[in-house]
Structure formats: structure tokens, C-alpha cells
Amino acid sequence: MNIIDIARLAGVSTATVSRALNGSDKVRPKTAAHVKRIIAKVHYVPNTSARVLRVGKSMLFGLIVSDIKNPFFPELIDKFEALAVQQGIDVIFTHTNYDPARQAHALRRLVERNVDAIAVMTSEISLKGLEAVKVVGTPMVLLNQLELAPNFNNVAVDYISGFGEAVAHLKELGHRGIGYLAGPASLSSALCRTKAFHAAMQAARLPVKKQWIAVGDFHIEGGYAAMTQLLRLNNPPGAVIAANDMMAVGALQAANALKVPIPKRLSLIGFDNLNACTMLTPSLTSIAVSRDEIAVHAFEMLFRESSAKRKSKAQLHTIQTRLITRQSTGRPVK
Amino acid sequence: MNIIDIARLAGVSTATVSRALNGSDKVRPKTAAHVKRIIAKVHYVPNTSARVLRVGKSMLFGLIVSDIKNPFFPELIDKFEALAVQQGIDVIFTHTNYDPARQAHALRRLVERNVDAIAVMTSEISLKGLEAVKVVGTPMVLLNQLELAPNFNNVAVDYISGFGEAVAHLKELGHRGIGYLAGPASLSSALCRTKAFHAAMQAARLPVKKQWIAVGDFHIEGGYAAMTQLLRLNNPPGAVIAANDMMAVGALQAANALKVPIPKRLSLIGFDNLNACTMLTPSLTSIAVSRDEIAVHAFEMLFRESSAKRKSKAQLHTIQTRLITRQSTGRPVK
DNA sequence: CTGAAAGCGCTTACAG
DNA sequence: CTGAAAGCGCTTACAG
């Protein structure tokens, strides 16, 4: 069942069927209605591949994320997809599991699918695959890839002020010794956060002790191990900031296991403000990053660029954070 | 840059380029290598829309879920997508937010995109939109839609034995009064679970008290409200099963708020066995359903059917559950 | 407002 | 092993 069949059934040309289908104003309303009635009757479904081939626009956006199991991403995906559907755009979704090779592969597949734009919302760094996008000229937006900001659109989280708030909060509570659970060095977002932690400590004129920094994997397990490492020191820090909430969850469990009461003996701050923060006991103080805001700005950059006639310069949008204080932070007890 | 340009650059016909591109054995290896070298040099990317139009297969699967923010679904999506990529298939992902109208719309869009198969992993019931799929003949698999099992492939969770295990566990601990936090009547999965709860209670020869059943919304908030309602009764049940983990989280918070100790005064069981179960204090006993298993069977049904020459009969695969006991269940204290 | 026809970029049966 | 050419199902500039 194709447009020729419909044309025959309706007694018109395929051009007229096409116009009726696309709501062109160059069809007599009565003709359009007649055609549409027939289309509905026989359940005709137009072939999008043919349309895309002809028109050159696919009305498809690609969305690549690192890790759909980290609750950070589903909220971002949710919003991004909602915005797309509002514009009649479908989303091909894929995830890399933090693997740069998978990211390059994903990028290539999306370009082959003729997607109109690509949001690369991943934490890992990878330049491979970008050339394919560049050659084809598909609009693209990256997340926190500031070193690529001159050439590619970016949505970036203001980590500096985020960690600044967290450190200031702890300092105000009376903490001087602040430890840090870092993310893996392979992720650009982890590196950004570590850098921001150092900057925040310096701004607060607090010393960073090397043995108070432990490296985790951005997951619960790594947070548990890293926190355990710090708590076993002879002089553990009285406060710890985790580079993300998942590691903070592990840190909380480690403190429980070692009978270190929170916040009495240990103040803990996470990053991301996942829903889980309120589910924990004690509830977790965290630095909030709006996933909706990331999605909105990423989508709008792409939508604007994919609708524009001419290529525009790379944009950068910075997302502000907000500290949400809960039960896991308090005054240190001597 | 299209296949004609490549043919010209390589000094061969488009047919040869196409063959080289697709690894046909009808090209001299040397010719193929020559063509591929040129393709790599100029960063040629084939146009998938043209290919799909010509071949009729899109190598695209559609995946519809209800609610990506419920951690149940990301794990399912993760696995499904991994299986697809393994087969060179991309996934168009979309979610309905439990809205049947959105589901119908999503189904239609997927069919227009020529997807080779569709996994409808939603909880809501909706028959609208299915006719479009039926007319086109796109393979499809549903989740827990047993009333449609004769006509459509289904992956179904064995709720009956799942709740059976949970009730038996509570009974063995010495509980006689068991309450239930039901899901919303608008969701087929909620209805299945409620029915299964009743069946399990009957099998265990325990009475179901009407006032011990409260209805929630499958979210934390609804679980909180429903649990509060039960705890405020003059004779609250000593054990409660929540229709899903999200509601159990709310129930836990409600018990905390009302200073009802778990499991001393209240045993609590959730359903789904989300990662959150181990993050809670106390950790939550829950009925585990393997998301991977659902994804694997859904994908394989679709893959088989989309590769098959002829339409086959609707399949049904049942997923077994497993009770994971944790700290939230214990002997009742008089 | 309507139609005839070209053409988007591929693949493949056919001929050699 | 290679090429010429038809055709997948649409849209749209052009002519009327």
C-alpha cells in the first residue's frame, strides 16, 4: 500500500495525496478531506524513508549518553525526548557505557541514519568519530567538553561554583578538614569535578590533604571502597564531598559499616541531587544540577541549528548548580 | 557526496561500490579494498534512508516504555539496546508516561519509520494504534498483556508465584495479618499484581481484609500516603506488601515518620528488587524480576520474527520471580 | 487548485 | 567479477 494506490483509490494524483498528507494549503479542503478519509479507511501509513530520502531532513535526533543506569541520565533523556516529540522529532537513543569506542561507533551509526542533530551527553572523552559528523555537518552538542568548546556546542555545568557552595557550607558549619571522593580519571566530568574541588578549597583558604583524596569509580562500590580508605586513616577528615551521589551512597554505607555516625562524626555531601538523596537515612546533602535544564538547552541548540539556513558559531551554555542541605551535614562534634 | 561520486573517484560502477560497501563476495578483494580506501579518504557516509527504501528493512527496532524515571525501565532498555547493537540494529526509544494516547502516537510514528519490530514494554493498557501495526504486519511484543496473548507476542511476569513466595515468607515468620499497597487501577501491571496478591493469600489460607488494602500510584508519594492510611487504622496489619518498590520506599518513610519500627512492628516487602532496596535503611525485602531476562526474551522474539520468512503464531514467555529477603521483614513482636 | 514527471541515493536481477 | 539500468515511495518545481 503506497501513495500510488491511494491516488488511484481517491481518483487524484500522487501529488495531491502528498499535499493532503502534509497539510499543504495548495489543496482544496474538500479534496484533502476526501483523500484523508480514504487514507484512514485503508490504514495507509506513509513511508518515512522515502520522505527522508527526498526531503533530506529526517526529523530524527540522536541522543548518546554514558550510562542509563545512573539515574542522572534517565531524567535528561525523559526531558529531551519530550521536547523532541513536541516538535514531531523522534529520538534514536544509544548509550556508551563510558566506552569511547562505542561512542565513536554510535556517532557513525547516527550519521548514517541521517539524523538532523546529535546530543552527545557523555562523560567520557573521545575525539574519534567526530570527523564523520564534521564532514557531514550534522549539528551536535556536547556535555562538559570545554576543551572542545571553540569548535562544538557545549552545555557545561558550573562545577566551580557548585563545589564552592559545598565547601562554603562545610566551612560555615565549622569544618576545616575536608576530604574528597574523586571519580575515575578516564572521565572528563570526573576531571572537571576534581579541578573544581581544588579551586573551591583554595578559594575557601582550606588546605587540601593528599591522603584525604580517594579515587572511586562513580558507582556505589567505588564510593564504599574510597570512603572506607579515608575512614581507616589515623586522622580521617570530618567532612567529605563525593564527586557524585552514587559514590556518596557507597560512602554512607561504608560509614554505617564502620559505625561512624553521620553527621555527628562525618559530614557528607554528594553531587547531582538524585532522587535517592531523600530516600537515604540520613538524607543526603547534595549539589543539585538540573537535568531538565541540560536537556532543554541541548535540545534548543540543536533545534535552532538544524532549522537554520547557515552554520552558526559554536555556542556554550553554562548550567548553575544549587546546594540542597539535608541531614548528612552538620557541625563537627569534637 | 554519494555513491556516484565514489564510483567516479574509484573508476568503477556504483554497483561495485555498493558491493564493496556491503561486503559482497562478488567483488574482487583488490577492487573492494581500492574502493574502501577511497571511501575512507573522503569520509563518505552511505545514506541509510536510501538503503532502507530500496531494501525494505530498516534495521531499526522501536522500544516503548512507560516511565524511564522508574529504575525498572533503564535496566531493561540498557539490555535491549545492547542486544540490538550486537546485531547491527538501532533502537528508537520513546516513553509514554503511562498515557495510552501517547502510546498510540508512538506506535504510529514507529510504523511510519519502517521499524522492523516493536517492543511495547508498558504497563498501561491500550488497543488504539495496534491496528496500524497489524495492517503493516510489524512484529511486536507486549509486556504482561495476557488478555492479548492469543494475538500478540507477550513476555509476562509470573506474578502469582512471586506473590506466593512473599506471602509464604511472611506466614513462615508468623504473620497472619498482611496488608497490601496496590497500584493504580489504570495500569494493567497493577491489576495483575493485585489479582496475584489475592490468589497468594487464598493459597496460603489467609484472609484478605478490605481495610488493609490501600491504593497508591506506583510512586513514592502514593506509597507514603497509602502506608500512612494503613498505619492509622486501629488495628494495622503487622506486614505489608507493596505492589512495587517505589511505593515501598514511600511506605518506609511513612513508617519512619510515624515512628513505627521496621521490622519490629511492621514487616515490609516490595516488588521489583530495584538497586534502591540495598540503599535503604533498613534494606528492603523484595520480589526480584530480572529486567535482563525480559529484555532478552522480548528482543529474541522480535529478532526471530523479523528475520523469519513467514508470520508465526504469537509466543508467550513467562518470567519467574525470586524473593530476596533483607532487613525489612522479620518475626512479629507482640 | 491539480497533475505529469523528475529525482533523492541506494541495491540487485540481469547480462556479459 | 563487473556494469547498465530499473525501481523502492515519496515531494516539488513546473506547467496548466
Side-chain angles (χ1 to χ4, degrees):
Chain A
M1 180 76 63
N2 61 27
I3 205 171
I4 299 180
D5 298 321
I6 302 299
R8 193 156 27 218
L9 286 172
V12 298
S13 72
T14 60
T16 298
V17 175
S18 174
R19 289 180 186 121
L21 219 39
N22 294 298
S24 159
D25 54 358
K26 293 186 190 166
V27 205
R28 203 152 50 110
K30 212 175 142 187
T31 315
H34 169 60
V35 170
K36 279 185 185 162
R37 211 172 307 119
I38 293 193
I39 284 173
K41 192 164 76 181
V42 300
H43 288 114
Y44 162 66
V45 179
N47 181 321
T48 306
S49 301
R51 175 173 222 286
V52 169
L53 176 59
R54 174 59 223 243
V55 175
K57 279 194 72 172
S58 64
M59 299 301 272
L60 258 183
F61 278 15
L63 174 59
I64 309 179
V65 304
S66 289
D67 177 13
I68 192 177
K69 290 185 188 174
N70 180 332
F72 184 90
F73 289 107
E75 299 178 25
L76 198 165
I77 297 170
D78 183 36
K79 185 69 179 178
F80 190 90
E81 206 234 330
L83 292 166
V85 168
Q86 244 171 52
Q87 302 287 351
I89 292 166
D90 283 312
V91 176
I92 294 193
F93 157 78
T94 193
H95 79 287
T96 64
N97 211 15
Y98 301 106
D99 178 353
R102 272 184 70 170
Q103 179 180 311
H105 183 224
L107 228 29
R108 196 193 155 73
R109 275 164 31 223
L110 291 175
V111 171
E112 287 184 5
R113 291 271 178 206
N114 278 315
V115 296
D116 293 335
I118 304 175
V120 186
M121 303 282 108
T122 59
S123 311
E124 66 272 17
I125 309 164
S126 172
L127 291 168
K128 287 197 308 173
L130 290 189
E131 55 198 10
V133 179
K134 249 187 157 169
V135 170
V136 181
T138 308
M140 187 162 71
V141 58
L142 309 176
L143 181 64
N144 291 322
Q145 306 286 344
L146 291 181
E147 65 287 7
L148 300 177
N151 296 312
F152 293 96
N153 296 317
N154 257 278
V155 174
V157 175
D158 187 349
Y159 289 118
I160 304 277
S161 86
F163 278 92
E165 263 190 290
V167 169
H169 170 60
L170 292 173
K171 193 177 176 187
E172 201 180 300
L173 286 171
H175 291 279
R176 291 298 172 268
I178 302 179
Y180 182 62
L181 307 184
S186 56
L187 302 186
S188 70
S189 65
L191 296 181
C192 289
R193 290 168 196 214
T194 300
K195 215 185 294 177
F197 170 73
H198 279 92
M201 291 293 277
Q202 190 168 3
R205 296 165 185 280
L206 291 175
V208 175
K209 278 211 194 179
K210 218 170 183 180
Q211 77 262 39
W212 284 354
I213 296 186
V215 178
D217 61 357
F218 265 5
H219 297 294
I220 294 177
E221 296 72 24
Y224 189 97
M227 189 75 238
T228 303
Q229 180 187 327
L230 294 193
L231 290 175
R232 289 213 172 122
L233 293 172
N234 290 327
N235 60 336
V240 165
I241 301 177
N244 75 355
D245 281 345
M246 297 306 275
M247 289 207 295
V249 169
L252 214 68
Q253 293 175 347
N256 276 342
L258 294 175
K259 310 271 185 221
V260 176
I262 295 180
K264 227 175 210 167
R265 292 277 306 284
L266 174 69
S267 278
L268 186 63
I269 299 185
F271 198 110
D272 283 343
N273 194 39
L274 303 180
N275 287 330
C277 292
T278 64
M279 290 160 43
L280 300 167
T281 315
S283 59
L284 183 68
T285 295
S286 186
I287 302 162
V289 180
S290 166
R291 270 70 84 185
D292 276 14
E293 211 181 324
I294 295 176
V296 165
H297 287 282
F299 182 81
E300 290 198 338
M301 278 184 192
L302 294 179
F303 188 68
R304 204 180 314 125
E305 192 171 336
S306 70
S307 316
K309 309 264 172 281
R310 333 180 292 107
K311 191 99 180 150
S312 54
K313 279 194 245 341
Q315 308 277 309
L316 170 64
H317 183 89
T318 303
I319 306 276
Q320 293 307 315
T321 63
R322 202 157 46 91
L323 183 74
I324 312 288
T325 54
R326 297 199 180 84
Q327 300 165 349
S328 69
T329 45
R331 302 198 166 277
V333 175
K334 300 290 162 181
Chain B
M1 182 74 61
N2 61 28
I3 204 171
I4 299 179
D5 298 320
I6 302 299
R8 193 155 25 215
L9 286 172
V12 297
S13 72
T14 60
T16 298
V17 176
S18 174
R19 289 181 187 119
L21 219 39
N22 295 297
S24 160
D25 55 358
K26 294 187 192 165
V27 206
R28 203 153 50 111
K30 211 175 142 187
T31 315
H34 170 60
V35 170
K36 279 184 185 162
R37 213 172 305 119
I38 294 194
I39 284 173
K41 191 164 76 180
V42 300
H43 287 113
Y44 162 67
V45 179
N47 182 320
T48 306
S49 301
R51 174 173 224 287
V52 170
L53 176 60
R54 176 58 224 245
V55 176
K57 278 194 74 173
S58 64
M59 299 301 272
L60 258 183
F61 277 15
L63 173 60
I64 309 179
V65 305
S66 288
D67 177 12
I68 192 177
K69 290 186 189 174
N70 180 332
F72 184 90
F73 290 107
E75 298 178 27
L76 198 165
I77 296 171
D78 183 36
K79 186 70 181 176
F80 191 90
E81 206 234 329
L83 293 166
V85 168
Q86 242 170 54
Q87 302 287 351
I89 292 167
D90 284 311
V91 176
I92 295 193
F93 157 79
T94 193
H95 79 287
T96 63
N97 210 14
Y98 301 106
D99 178 353
R102 272 184 70 170
Q103 180 179 313
H105 183 225
L107 229 29
R108 197 192 154 72
R109 275 165 29 223
L110 292 174
V111 171
E112 289 184 5
R113 291 270 179 207
N114 279 314
V115 296
D116 292 336
I118 304 175
V120 186
M121 303 283 107
T122 60
S123 312
E124 66 272 18
I125 310 163
S126 172
L127 292 168
K128 288 199 305 173
L130 291 189
E131 54 199 8
V133 180
K134 250 187 154 169
V135 170
V136 181
T138 308
M140 187 162 70
V141 57
L142 309 176
L143 181 64
N144 290 322
Q145 306 286 344
L146 291 180
E147 65 288 6
L148 300 176
N151 296 312
F152 293 96
N153 295 319
N154 258 278
V155 175
V157 175
D158 187 349
Y159 289 119
I160 303 278
S161 84
F163 279 93
E165 263 190 288
V167 168
H169 171 59
L170 292 173
K171 193 178 175 188
E172 201 180 299
L173 286 171
H175 290 280
R176 290 299 172 267
I178 301 179
Y180 183 62
L181 307 184
S186 55
L187 302 186
S188 70
S189 64
L191 297 179
C192 289
R193 290 168 196 215
T194 300
K195 214 185 291 178
F197 169 73
H198 279 92
M201 290 294 277
Q202 190 167 3
R205 296 166 186 279
L206 291 174
V208 174
K209 279 211 192 178
K210 218 173 184 177
Q211 77 262 39
W212 284 353
I213 296 186
V215 178
D217 60 357
F218 264 5
H219 298 293
I220 294 178
E221 296 72 24
Y224 188 99
M227 190 74 239
T228 303
Q229 179 188 328
L230 294 193
L231 290 175
R232 288 215 172 119
L233 292 171
N234 290 328
N235 60 337
V240 166
I241 301 176
N244 75 355
D245 281 344
M246 296 306 275
M247 290 206 296
V249 170
L252 215 67
Q253 293 175 346
N256 276 342
L258 294 175
K259 311 270 183 222
V260 175
I262 294 179
K264 224 172 210 170
R265 292 277 306 284
L266 174 68
S267 279
L268 186 62
I269 299 185
F271 198 109
D272 283 343
N273 195 37
L274 303 181
N275 286 331
C277 291
T278 64
M279 291 161 42
L280 301 168
T281 316
S283 59
L284 184 68
T285 295
S286 186
I287 303 161
V289 181
S290 165
R291 271 71 83 184
D292 276 13
E293 211 181 324
I294 295 177
V296 165
H297 288 283
F299 181 80
E300 291 198 336
M301 279 185 190
L302 293 179
F303 189 68
R304 204 178 315 125
E305 192 171 337
S306 70
S307 316
K309 310 263 172 285
R310 335 180 292 106
K311 192 100 180 150
S312 55
K313 279 196 245 342
Q315 308 278 310
L316 169 65
H317 183 89
T318 304
I319 307 277
Q320 293 306 315
T321 62
R322 200 157 49 90
L323 183 73
I324 313 288
T325 53
R326 297 198 182 85
Q327 300 165 348
S328 69
T329 44
R331 301 200 166 276
V333 176
K334 299 289 162 182

